[in-house]
Amino acid sequence: MNKTFIDKQIITAKENFNYFFMKTIILILQTCFKLAIMLLINQIFNYTIVNIISIIYTIVSIYNIYNSINNYNKIMTDIKNTLHNEVIFYEIDLDVISKNLFRGVVNYGK
């Protein structure tokens, strides 16, 4: 029996799994960079209102990180359950991270 269609579906599922894994990493890094900038502003301007805003933003950022990990974990678990006995490797593509993470940043020197 010809299994080429099933093999193509398995390859596509593995690619989707790696895509969602990379998307999770990118969302976490973006949120951490925004949080770091906010806390840096808090250190520069040490006023009460800035402290309150930074505390609220920190709580919201931690909730956003938890929410994104939870949502993408459900998707990745569904893909794993679909593949059953297939071995899935986590592939970290640094080009995808740099393109999505530093989007809009001017690249000098090229």
Side-chain angles (χ1 to χ4, degrees), residues 25-83:
I25 291 174
I26 290 169
L27 284 174
I28 291 171
L29 288 176
Q30 284 177 339
T31 307
C32 288
F33 283 147
K34 291 176 187 175
L35 182 62
I37 290 170
M38 183 60 170
L39 293 176
L40 183 65
I41 291 171
N42 182 24
Q43 287 296 321
I44 293 171
F45 305 107
N46 196 10
Y47 300 119
T48 306
I49 190 73
V50 176
N51 291 339
I52 293 170
I53 291 172
S54 66
I55 289 171
I56 292 171
Y57 189 77
T58 304
I59 293 170
V60 169
S61 296
I62 291 171
Y63 177 74
N64 286 340
I65 289 173
Y66 170 75
N67 201 14
S68 63
I69 289 173
N70 196 18
N71 289 338
Y72 283 111
N73 192 20
K74 288 178 185 175
I75 294 170
M76 290 190 296
T77 304
D78 187 40
I79 293 173
K80 279 184 186 178
N81 291 338
T82 302
L83 292 177

